[in-house]
Amino acid sequence: VNGGDCHISGQTVQDDLFSYYPRAVYQEAIRAWNADEDNRSVLDHLEASYSAYVKGCYLEIPDGYEELREQCREQDIEYGDAEAASQYIRDLFENDYSYSMNVSALPDGEDFIRYFLYKSKEGYSTHYASAAVIMFRMFGVPARYVVGYAAPQNLFTAQPGGYYAAVLQSDNAH
């Protein structure tokens, strides 16, 4: 494992099974589990340790974002309020920015995020995600930029044993 975010070194192929639980069901199950001290395990202690790691690493803000910091301070959002921060960021992006896969190259000497936020105001997922991470952190919400795959439902096929599998290609990268 490389670092505290669970990236596995040298991993090129994997068979992952992901379970889905509606958020309310999951949250209630976790509350009930955590209420019973007998359930606390090594994994619970690891989760607490990882939570501390996240708060220590995923709130860092690079230098040079004073204009964005001031913009975030002007909002009436309590530090750490993920829902309010998320709503503000979504509204900002939906109202003031344009999604485009055909953006011009970043001019020499320009900061990627500042250029997107204050000059071009158009971009694709990388632009939006990068800016959102910095903004979430400014609002006190631990965040990180992660790339992965978007797996549309039509790629999944039923497998013996009652589960579904999908083969993802580079065009599913997101």
Side-chain angles (χ1 to χ4, degrees):
V1 175
N2 288 342
D5 63 357
C6 300
H7 165 77
I8 305 298
S9 177
Q11 185 176 22
T12 57
V13 176
Q14 64 188 43
D15 292 325
D16 286 335
L17 299 177
F18 296 97
S19 299
Y20 169 76
Y21 300 94
R23 182 177 294 209
V25 172
Y26 167 77
Q27 288 173 332
E28 181 56 37
I30 293 300
R31 272 194 291 276
W33 177 268
N34 286 333
D36 184 350
E37 282 297 319
D38 291 338
N39 289 331
R40 307 261 323 147
S41 68
V42 170
L43 290 178
D44 294 313
H45 294 286
L46 286 173
E47 183 176 342
S49 176
Y50 182 65
S51 179
Y53 170 82
V54 165
K55 289 175 184 167
C57 295
Y58 298 150
L59 287 171
E60 294 177 3
I61 301 167
D63 293 334
Y65 288 95
E66 289 73 22
E67 184 177 4
L68 182 58
R69 187 182 306 275
E70 186 58 34
Q71 178 182 336
C72 292
R73 273 192 199 124
E74 290 172 358
Q75 308 312 307
D76 187 24
I77 296 175
E78 186 176 330
Y79 191 79
D81 186 342
E83 288 202 26
S86 180
Q87 188 64 55
Y88 169 73
I89 294 167
R90 277 196 317 268
D91 289 347
L92 178 72
F93 287 165
E94 287 175 6
N95 295 323
D96 297 341
Y97 295 84
S98 299
Y99 186 89
S100 175
M101 291 296 293
N102 298 315
V103 296
S104 54
L106 181 67
D108 287 342
E110 291 283 353
D111 176 84
F112 180 79
I113 295 171
R114 280 195 307 271
Y115 187 77
F116 166 67
L117 288 174
Y118 299 112
K119 294 184 180 175
S120 74
K121 294 197 172 203
E122 71 173 2
Y124 45 88
S125 57
T126 302
H127 297 86
Y128 285 87
S130 298
V133 164
I134 298 298
M135 293 174 77
F136 273 115
R137 289 177 176 194
M138 288 182 177
F139 287 118
V141 178
R144 67 180 181 158
Y145 178 90
V146 178
V147 295
Y149 292 88
Q153 183 177 357
N154 66 334
L155 289 183
F156 287 87
T157 57
Q159 303 295 309
Y163 67 94
Y164 289 79
V167 176
L168 303 177
Q169 304 291 331
S170 60
D171 62 341
N172 298 112
H174 187 69

